[in-house]
Amino acid sequence: MKTLVAYFSASGVTANVAKLLAEAAGADLFEIKPAVPYTNADLNWMDKKSRSTVEMQDKRSRPAIAVPCSNLADYDTIFVGFPIWWYVAPTIINTFLESGDFSGKKIVLFATSGGSGFGKTVANLKDSAPDATIVEGKLLNGTQSVAGLKSWVDSILK
């Protein structure tokens, strides 16, 4: 069984956790990069006209990905990580899930957050990968250790 950790990170926080998680899982790592990188102004959630706010208000928004993951068929389990935006995954995660065939795959979500939980994230992602099993994983806030993450990964992969 081969495992992938795919992640989107706007500020580097989720990227750091994803790298530790990939090490703990003995998994390959794939960064979900937007075709147009987000600027600090784009991420200003207090500005109703900022890019992130506009995208999150439009459930049909699908920000383009710079490079798709070309070898999804190689993986059985895919950990998908992201920062929580407005109580759900950023819409670029929908883009990622819609960009490949996730049929029969187990998708385990992980996220970083300034305070909110997963909210309706699983429900919001189901239509983007209808033939996959999507599991709400964990919020991985604060300092994480490879040993602690390995224990969680082992419980998921058994």
Side-chain angles (χ1 to χ4, degrees):
M1 179 174 7
K2 206 165 175 196
T3 304
L4 175 69
V5 173
Y7 70 94
F8 164 68
S9 186
S11 65
V13 174
T14 306
N16 291 336
V17 172
K19 291 169 187 170
L20 289 173
L21 182 59
E23 182 181 341
D28 293 336
L29 191 63
F30 176 78
E31 182 177 2
I32 302 166
K33 290 183 186 177
V36 177
Y38 289 90
T39 66
N40 286 336
D42 291 336
L43 298 172
N44 181 0
W45 60 271
M46 295 177 66
D47 178 357
K48 291 183 177 40
K49 294 181 182 177
S50 75
R51 178 177 164 198
S52 61
T53 301
V54 170
E55 288 174 0
M56 294 307 292
Q57 288 177 344
D58 180 0
K59 297 296 180 202
R60 297 165 301 170
S61 173
R62 297 296 184 267
I65 292 176
V67 179
C69 184
S70 61
N71 60 337
L72 286 173
D74 295 349
Y75 304 100
D76 301 304
T77 303
I78 302 168
F79 288 85
V80 177
F82 45 86
I84 296 287
W85 287 3
W86 290 267
Y87 302 96
V88 293
T91 55
I92 195 167
I93 299 302
N94 296 87
T95 306
F96 173 70
L97 294 175
E98 293 166 6
S99 72
D101 182 6
F102 287 86
S103 300
K105 310 255 183 237
K106 182 177 188 178
I107 298 171
V108 181
L109 305 178
F110 69 96
T112 57
S113 170
S116 61
F118 276 96
K120 296 181 179 179
T121 299
V122 173
N124 286 353
L125 295 177
K126 285 261 186 218
D127 288 343
S128 295
D131 297 321
T133 301
I134 300 178
V135 178
E136 182 178 308
K138 285 181 92 166
L139 285 176
L140 299 175
N141 294 326
T143 304
Q144 301 294 320
S145 70
V146 171
L149 291 171
K150 182 164 178 21
S151 175
W152 176 57
V153 167
D154 289 348
S155 73
I156 297 287
L157 298 179
K158 66 178 175 178

